[in-house]
Structures are given as C-alpha cells and as structure tokens.
Amino acid sequence: MDSDHDYTPFPDDEASFSGPDDFDGFGGDDRGAAGPAHVPPHDIHAEQAVLGAMMLSEQARYGLTVEDALKAEDFYAPQHQVTYEAIRQLYSENQPIDSITVVEQLRRTGTLEQAGGREAIWQLTAAVTEVAALPRHAEIVTDLSKLRRLLQATYEIQSTVLRGEDDPALIVERAQGLVFEVSTEDETKGLHTVGSFIDDEVKYLEELEKDGRDITGLPTGYRDLDKATSGLQPGSMVVLAARPSMGKSALVTNLAENIALQNKGAVALFSLEMPERELLHRVLSSQAAIKGDDMRKGRIGDRWPDVLEVADKLAKAPLYIDDSSDIGIMEIRAKSRRLHASHPGGVACVIIDYLQLMRPDGRTDNRVQQIGEISRGLKILAQELSCPVIALSQLSRGVESRPDKRPLLSDIRESGNIEQDADLVMFLYRDEYYNAETAEPGVAELIIAKNRSGRLGNIRLLFQKEFPRFLTMAQPSHDAGGPPASFSGPGVPAPGPPRPSGPGVGGPPLPPPGGAVGGVPLPPQSSARS
C-alpha cells in the first residue's frame, strides 16, 4: 500500500477501539488519521476519486470496477456507500452514469440527502486526478476495507474471549475461521453468467484434448483408479471404508507417499491409530520393497543403498504427519489451514486415519450427530482449501452376516451423513480374508460405490501384505486404448481373471524389474531381492 495514504491502522494505548460502534462517523481527519477518537483505516480522498471517476469514465472501465472489485460496504463513509449503490443500480439497468443521472437516481430512491445532497455529488468529480487511475484507487479502497474487516474480526475474538462462555478450543477455531474468512473473502466466487466463463472452459477442453490428458484432478499413482476418477478432484471429500485388516491404512499410506512424491503440494496425514515411527517404517518398506518385519527389526543387510535412496526422496517430499491420538475436527482444520498458508504450493491433500477415532468437538452426546458434525467439517475443509480430503471409515458388522461380504453404502458405520457429504466413496475388499481357498490370492478390490464426477465400478489391485503395499495390476494388451481391464460398470464388460505382473503361485505376485509401487518407480533390483 502506498505510503502517502495516511491512516491509523490500529488504536494505541490512550484510545482503544471498542467495537463496531467506532465505525460510525469519521472521528478524525478525512484520511483516518488520529483524532479525538481513533477510527478504522480508510481514505476518503480515494473513495471520492473512485466515485468521481466512475461518473467520468466510459462504461467498459467502470463496468469492470462494478462487476469484479467493489462492494458498497468497501466504502467507509455512509454517504459514499449510498452513492455507490445508486451507481450500481444505474449500471444494472444499462443507464448512462454521470453526476446528473446519479443525482436523479438518488432522488428517485429518496436517498439524496443521505448521500450529502446535490453539491456533494457534483463535487465528487472534482476529486478525480486521473480517470485512468480508477483501478488503482479502487484497489486502495478494497485494501483498507479488508483491514477494517480484520479489525472487526479481532474485536469479535476479543469479545468472545472476555465473555468466557465457550470452550477454549472452540474459541480458537472460531478465531482462526474469522481471520481465514477475511484472508480469502476476495477469492469467494459469486454468481456469474455462463457467458462470463464459457470461453475459458472451451479453451480448457481444447487443451485437454490437445495434451491427451485423462487426469484432471490429483493423480493417485494408481492407473486404473485415476482412469475411473480422473484423479482426486479439488474440494472433494473422499471416503475409503473397509472392515478391519483389509489394508485400508496401508492403502491410504501408499496414497500419501505417491501424492507427496509428485511435489504438487503438501500432504497432511493425520494418523489417530498408528504412531509416527510405524508409519515411517511402512513408507520405507513400501518404497524400498523390504519386508515390514525386517524393517522393524533392523534386518536391512545389503539393502541399505535402497533404504538411503528412499530416505533421501522422502526427506525432500512435502509429507507431513501428525500422530496425535486425541484430535478433533477443529484442530485438524486449524493445522491444515496453517500448513496451507505456510507451504509454497499450498496443501495438495489431507488424509485422516480414521474418522470414527476423531474427538467430537460439539456438546451433543448423540454419536450419529457427532459423526455428522465431523463429516460436515471435513467437507467444509476440502472446499476451503480446494483440495481433496480423504477420510478412512469403519464399516458395521452387518457385512459379516451376508454371504457376499462386499460392502454397501448402508454399511458405513454410525452416520448417513458420511455417505451424504462424500463426493467419492470407495470400499476395500479382499476375498482371501474370508476365503482361504480363493482363486485370487493377493488380489484386492477397490469398489467405487459413489462418484459424483465419474462412473461406478471395481478397481483391482495387488496387495503385498508383507511390505505392505498395493500395486497396479498389469494391463492386458487386448485392452490397450480401452477401459481398464479391472474396471466394471454400466456399459463395460465384466473383468476377466487377474493378470498379475509376476509369479504369484502360492502367494502375492511380485512386481517386474523396474516396476511400480502404486505408480512410484522402484530400482530395478528391488523385485529380485524381495
């Protein structure tokens, strides 16, 4: 902000700001400088210059200001708010805007006196130094408006703290939310006509076709899953649910490492069930293809070069882990916001393992309502940060009583809100867990039961429990260029037998030399030694 615009941004010890009432009137000079009573930051000259320039400039210039930048509440002076509303009304009716038409509009609406009378309107044009400076003057007005909103937020925080009626954690969450709202308010989208953005969308589609890209969201590192979902979409809430021992924690850890190694932004993994060290062991085992039991016992042998190579990659990857076992939605949102603000690339993905272990922050004892509030909070977080939020969930025991153990949406435990809030719901199922004689040992089904931005179906993955990791299955050559062999859904033939990428007789198949763990390349020697 230019230094030649004086204002008193914050009160000093002698005269403190006492709340919203201090917003009424000027209380000082015309630029918000210190007077008998301190006032919020403002610049009367800039406001006058903006209004005057809009009455002197051509429609294209003031139209841009009306549509994209200014709101009436951005003006500090009440008379300027009234005048701007008159200008907006004339613009919406496609009427010419000058001092005469504005005076007539104010007279017609009975607000001419509130705007200061005819003389005040005519004098606004005299405050214009250069019509071409309208965008810069409008920026000054909006910047000072943001400071006033921040000041108002601090007053509300102070008032809440002094009342002491709420839980401290709730007060902190509300305070962070108020400040976050001020910082992102200008980015909030309003209503737009389709015509205002259809050209950009057509260009985007042309670029997609030209580049041949199938992935429009965040790649997961699993080929068939990315084809089915086009990647995890920004602002989406993803639920991964399974019965115990299906490998959902292993899969979500694989997802975290795959996404983090892409360096598209920070990945926040909140693990309420597993300590940080065990998570790190899992990641090292998965990436270096060393059995988890050997990793935990330090039996590395001649695999140290692989471990050190993986450790070096992970040290540079923006993967953040929080293993707090007692954490609620307010803390997760607060920590995610801070990470989003501090990391240069923002937050690419937030992962919670798992939802039912989160501490309820509300005061209700109803478990269904508690889970519903947590679910809604995660959905809001995804939209605030414009990133996918993946939440693991338990399933009810009803699955065990059916002949077919594959989960259904109704099996999600404790709340229908999870199903309602989620944009993507996936179930993890392994037949070998229930059937020791299965014809598909080591094969896991990732069942897409709900997908707002794509089709439903089953994705087949290879599960290597000893590492632990999930692998993308080999693509049959006759399916090249078509839908993935492991994908099923309306209009897609049912998948044939699994084609593992290595010898799998009597146990889980191994990846080929130079294969991929969830899409992340491995050193050529990894599969031979595993």
Side-chain angles (χ1 to χ4, degrees), residues 177-476:
L178 286 170
V179 176
F180 186 79
E181 183 180 348
V182 171
S183 67
T184 60
E185 192 172 48
D186 294 338
E187 302 170 5
T188 302
K189 294 183 179 179
L191 289 173
H192 300 282
T193 64
V194 173
S196 66
F197 59 85
I198 190 65
D199 289 342
D200 291 337
E201 184 63 22
V202 170
K203 290 178 183 177
Y204 173 69
L205 294 174
E206 289 175 347
E207 291 174 2
L208 286 179
E209 184 177 36
K210 181 180 179 181
D211 297 342
R213 280 189 292 148
D214 295 324
I215 311 302
T216 58
L218 183 66
T220 65
Y222 292 100
R223 180 198 62 226
D224 295 341
L225 177 59
D226 287 338
K227 284 184 179 180
T229 62
S230 298
L232 303 180
Q233 301 301 310
S236 64
M237 177 181 169
V238 180
V239 173
L240 176 61
R243 289 292 294 159
S245 300
M246 284 290 164
K248 58 182 181 292
S249 291
L251 178 57
V252 83
T253 304
N254 288 164
L255 286 171
E257 62 199 56
N258 291 350
I259 295 170
L261 288 170
Q262 298 173 30
N263 277 304
K264 293 182 179 293
V267 177
L269 174 56
F270 294 91
S271 177
L272 288 77
E273 189 176 34
M274 198 180 305
E276 186 179 74
R277 173 170 288 181
E278 186 174 348
L279 272 173
L280 187 56
H281 284 169
R282 284 191 173 216
V283 174
L284 289 171
S285 298
S286 168
Q287 291 292 311
I290 297 176
K291 293 183 178 180
D293 187 58
D294 291 340
M295 181 69 70
R296 282 189 297 272
K297 296 176 180 177
R299 296 200 295 252
I300 309 298
D302 60 352
R303 302 299 305 281
W304 275 110
D306 293 339
V307 172
L308 294 177
E309 180 183 350
V310 170
D312 183 60
K313 287 196 302 181
L314 291 173
K316 299 174 183 176
L319 177 58
Y320 296 80
I321 296 174
D322 187 318
D323 62 355
S324 304
S325 59
D326 182 26
I327 191 170
I329 181 61
M330 291 189 297
E331 292 172 72
I332 287 179
R333 289 174 64 181
K335 291 179 179 181
S336 299
R337 286 172 183 153
R338 286 198 296 269
L339 179 59
H340 184 73
S342 63
H343 193 273
V347 171
C349 185
V350 177
I351 301 173
I352 296 96
D353 183 10
Y354 58 90
L355 191 149
Q356 281 83 3
L357 287 180
M358 291 175 61
R359 184 189 67 239
D361 291 324
R363 300 192 175 184
T364 177
D365 294 328
N366 186 299
R367 183 61 176 166
V368 173
Q369 291 182 8
Q370 291 174 349
I371 296 297
E373 290 174 1
I374 292 172
S375 173
R376 186 59 187 158
L378 294 177
K379 176 62 179 177
I380 293 172
L381 175 63
Q383 294 175 331
E384 281 181 347
L385 302 186
S386 189
C387 75
V389 171
I390 304 174
L392 270 63
S393 176
Q394 287 182 331
L395 295 175
S396 66
R397 291 189 178 92
V399 175
E400 311 293 335
S401 62
R402 296 196 299 262
D404 187 351
K405 312 294 188 199
R406 289 172 177 81
L408 304 172
L409 285 172
S410 57
D411 294 322
I412 297 178
R413 187 172 174 181
E414 293 178 318
S415 179
N417 294 74
I418 301 175
E419 175 189 345
Q420 176 182 322
D421 293 330
D423 300 283
L424 177 65
V425 177
M426 301 184 292
F427 298 123
L428 187 61
Y429 171 79
R430 291 190 297 115
D431 189 62
E432 66 179 350
Y433 179 80
Y434 296 103
N435 181 12
E437 304 299 325
T438 181
E440 299 178 336
V443 175
E445 294 181 36
L446 192 58
I447 303 168
I448 302 178
K450 178 182 178 181
N451 187 5
R452 282 202 177 114
S453 57
R455 62 172 70 189
L456 310 180
N458 290 8
I459 305 297
R460 294 196 172 198
L461 302 172
L462 300 180
F463 179 52
Q464 294 183 316
K465 186 176 182 178
E466 65 270 30
F467 290 115
R469 63 187 182 186
F470 287 83
L471 308 180
T472 294
M473 292 188 66
Q475 177 100 24

Side-chain angles (χ1 to χ4, degrees), residues 65-126:
T65 303
V66 170
E67 289 182 347
D68 294 341
L70 282 177
K71 301 183 292 292
E73 55 266 31
D74 288 332
F75 291 87
Y76 177 78
Q79 57 265 45
H80 292 165
Q81 294 177 5
V82 173
T83 303
Y84 183 71
E85 280 294 348
I87 292 175
R88 282 175 61 98
Q89 185 62 35
L90 288 171
Y91 177 77
S92 67
E93 297 172 358
N94 201 28
Q95 297 294 320
I97 297 175
D98 56 30
S99 57
I100 295 175
T101 58
V102 171
V103 167
E104 178 59 23
Q105 173 68 18
L106 290 167
R107 186 194 63 76
R108 194 165 63 241
T109 58
T111 54
L112 181 59
E113 292 305 316
Q114 295 180 37
R118 297 173 185 270
E119 294 291 334
I121 303 302
W122 292 337
Q123 289 175 4
L124 288 175
T125 56

